[in-house]
Amino acid sequence: MNQLRVNRVVELMKRDGLPCILVSATESVYYLTGRWISPGERMLALTITDRGDVRLFANRLFMQQAAPDLPLTEYDDTEDCVSVLADALPEHIGALGIDKRWPSHFLIRLMEKRPDIRMKLGSAPVDDARMCKDADELSAMRESSRLNDEVLKKLMSTVRAGETERQLAERYVEIARSMGAAGYSFKPLVCFGANCAEPHHDSDDTPLKEGDSIIFDVGLDLNHAMSDMTRTMFFGEATDEMKRVYELVRRANLAGKAAVKPGARLCDVDRAARRVIEEAGYGEYFIHRTGHGIGLEVHEPPDVSAACERPLEPGMIFSIEPGIYLSGKFGVRIEDLVTVTQDGCEVLNQLEIPSFAE
């Protein structure tokens, strides 16, 4: 059990007026207990009260062991797991904060068995605690990004005409695993030519040809620390338009990173990156948020968008990934992960971003 993290969650529960919460996401349970449990269709629940009492509920097949700081309630496949949980929850707790990831069929049954409890969305205390990484997490994220840099650099050196997007995406995974990664943090996105104008194009059998733009959006899982990075390159000679668009996106990426400092708002980071593209007349082609939080999951709070006014705090890690997408022609996206420091920003990716600026 990581008591410091539990204590932080308890303080945030008090902020939100939650006397008890139920944590069920594998990543959040791991964050608090150090135990990685993938429950599949079975119920997993970690309850925390505002007095700091913690209890784990898990199926016996996961072979968990109780500990002095982590009491355990087990059930097997012949028992009604929700009844086991309902009977163990304290009386007169009033409200129970429910993890946003808990399946509704468990929640509905718990509501029927404990009508005395007001069920509320209760993910914020854990989400907010996870948002600011501690020293161990920062170290793990740096290492994951460092390895991602190396893997992508190696992959980019192997690009050949006639290869397909799918072949390169599969090769990324092979290289990552050969260099020590557990796998990918999300399915690799490799796009050629006009497919680059689809921000989340699913890599297919399109072959690479001279003059294509190439987008690599890739990340790996290294000891549960997720990385994410995007680089755009051109196979052969880039057109003047390609160079112009690439330079705009590169400048937008730099502007977003320059805006990162404690006290600035996430929407300010989005505005800084977006302004560069809008002022050049390409605003309508930047069609997604500037970035997202990352850590144990590749997408987690905070949200780097115009709608998020949350101030930046040291330890936050998120992506800055502006893009321009010209339908039927090509697209450019450049993404780095950054962490907020005490006085500014640390960029976790070191893979060179070339420039066409004269």
Side-chain angles (χ1 to χ4, degrees), residues 9-125:
V9 169
V10 169
E11 289 304 309
L12 293 168
M13 290 168 58
K14 293 175 180 177
R15 175 200 68 182
D16 294 346
L18 291 170
C20 185
I21 64 171
L22 184 154
V23 182
S24 66
T26 292
E27 296 84 1
S28 292
V29 172
Y30 174 76
Y31 172 78
L32 294 167
T33 70
R35 303 184 185 201
W36 189 273
I37 307 171
S38 299
E41 77 277 13
R42 293 177 172 87
M43 188 192 78
L44 174 68
L46 181 76
T47 58
I48 306 173
T49 73
D50 58 6
R51 297 186 304 276
D53 300 321
V54 180
R55 178 170 290 273
L56 180 66
F57 296 81
N59 193 292
R60 287 190 176 87
L61 67 85
F62 297 124
M63 302 297 290
Q64 295 300 303
Q65 299 294 321
D69 60 351
L70 184 58
L72 173 66
T73 297
E74 291 185 301
Y75 67 91
D76 62 34
D77 287 340
T78 67
E79 296 177 274
D80 181 348
C81 57
V82 176
S83 290
V84 172
L85 172 64
D87 292 343
L89 287 172
E91 295 183 3
H92 312 301
I93 61 171
L96 176 64
I98 301 294
D99 194 321
K100 63 181 182 288
R101 297 267 291 276
W102 207 39
S104 59
H105 69 91
F106 294 137
L107 173 59
I108 291 170
R109 287 155 57 195
L110 182 59
M111 292 171 67
E112 292 172 345
K113 294 178 184 299
R114 289 295 302 267
D116 59 306
I117 299 176
R118 290 182 291 110
M119 306 295 175
K120 300 178 66 175
L121 182 61
S123 295

Side-chain angles (χ1 to χ4, degrees), residues 201-215:
H201 171 74
D202 193 12
S203 301
D204 60 25
D205 293 322
T206 300
L208 180 63
K209 63 183 186 300
E210 188 79 13
D212 275 347
S213 57
I214 309 175
I215 287 180

Side-chain angles (χ1 to χ4, degrees), residues 3 27 42 64 98 156 165 205 276 287 307 322 352:
Q3 196 59 52
E27 296 84 1
R42 293 177 172 87
Q64 295 300 303
I98 301 294
M156 292 171 75
E165 296 172 340
D205 293 322
V276 173
I287 56 177
E352 181 184 6

Side-chain angles (χ1 to χ4, degrees), residues 304-324:
V304 188
S305 76
C308 187
E309 297 186 356
R310 178 185 288 270
L312 301 183
E313 300 177 58
M316 285 181 172
I317 299 181
F318 50 84
S319 66
I320 295 179
E321 49 181 303
I324 293 175

Side-chain angles (χ1 to χ4, degrees), residues 51-279:
R51 297 186 304 276
D53 300 321
V54 180
R55 178 170 290 273
L56 180 66
F57 296 81
N59 193 292
R60 287 190 176 87
L61 67 85
F62 297 124
M63 302 297 290
Q64 295 300 303
Q65 299 294 321
D69 60 351
L70 184 58
L72 173 66
T73 297
E74 291 185 301
Y75 67 91
D76 62 34
D77 287 340
T78 67
E79 296 177 274
D80 181 348
C81 57
V82 176
S83 290
V84 172
L85 172 64
D87 292 343
L89 287 172
E91 295 183 3
H92 312 301
I93 61 171
L96 176 64
I98 301 294
D99 194 321
K100 63 181 182 288
R101 297 267 291 276
W102 207 39
S104 59
H105 69 91
F106 294 137
L107 173 59
I108 291 170
R109 287 155 57 195
L110 182 59
M111 292 171 67
E112 292 172 345
K113 294 178 184 299
R114 289 295 302 267
D116 59 306
I117 299 176
R118 290 182 291 110
M119 306 295 175
K120 300 178 66 175
L121 182 61
S123 295
V126 179
D127 284 350
D128 288 356
R130 285 176 52 184
M131 199 179 302
C132 293
K133 276 56 179 176
D134 60 27
D136 289 342
E137 292 174 289
L138 288 170
S139 177
M141 290 296 292
R142 290 187 185 103
E143 187 62 20
S144 183
S145 288
R146 182 200 61 77
L147 183 59
N148 198 28
D149 283 351
E150 293 182 8
V151 173
L152 183 54
K153 182 178 181 180
K154 187 170 184 178
L155 177 68
M156 292 171 75
S157 71
T158 71
V159 173
R160 300 291 183 270
E163 289 190 302
T164 68
E165 296 172 340
R166 197 188 316 275
Q167 286 173 323
L168 278 175
E170 290 172 349
R171 190 179 306 145
Y172 169 83
V173 179
E174 292 170 0
I175 296 172
R177 285 181 171 148
S178 73
M179 296 178 71
Y184 52 75
S185 54
F186 59 95
K187 188 177 179 181
L189 303 176
V190 179
C191 318
F192 300 157
N195 291 342
C196 295
E198 303 174 27
H200 272 199
H201 171 74
D202 193 12
S203 301
D204 60 25
D205 293 322
T206 300
L208 180 63
K209 63 183 186 300
E210 188 79 13
D212 275 347
S213 57
I214 309 175
I215 287 180
F216 300 93
D217 188 348
V218 293
L220 53 82
D221 173 354
L222 183 65
N223 300 319
H224 303 306
M226 304 300 163
S227 53
D228 188 5
M229 173 175 57
T230 304
R231 292 292 184 265
T232 301
M233 64 179 286
F234 301 103
F235 189 69
E237 184 65 28
T239 65
D240 288 343
E241 183 181 32
M242 287 176 170
K243 294 177 182 179
R244 182 170 63 253
V245 168
Y246 181 93
E247 276 302 307
L248 281 173
V249 174
R250 186 183 70 85
R251 285 172 45 214
N253 172 277
L254 292 172
K257 290 186 286 196
V260 176
K261 60 183 178 181
R265 301 171 302 172
L266 286 153
C267 58
D268 298 331
V269 178
D270 179 88
R271 182 91 291 269
R274 198 170 300 277
R275 182 185 295 116
V276 173
I277 292 173
E278 289 177 346
E279 289 179 350

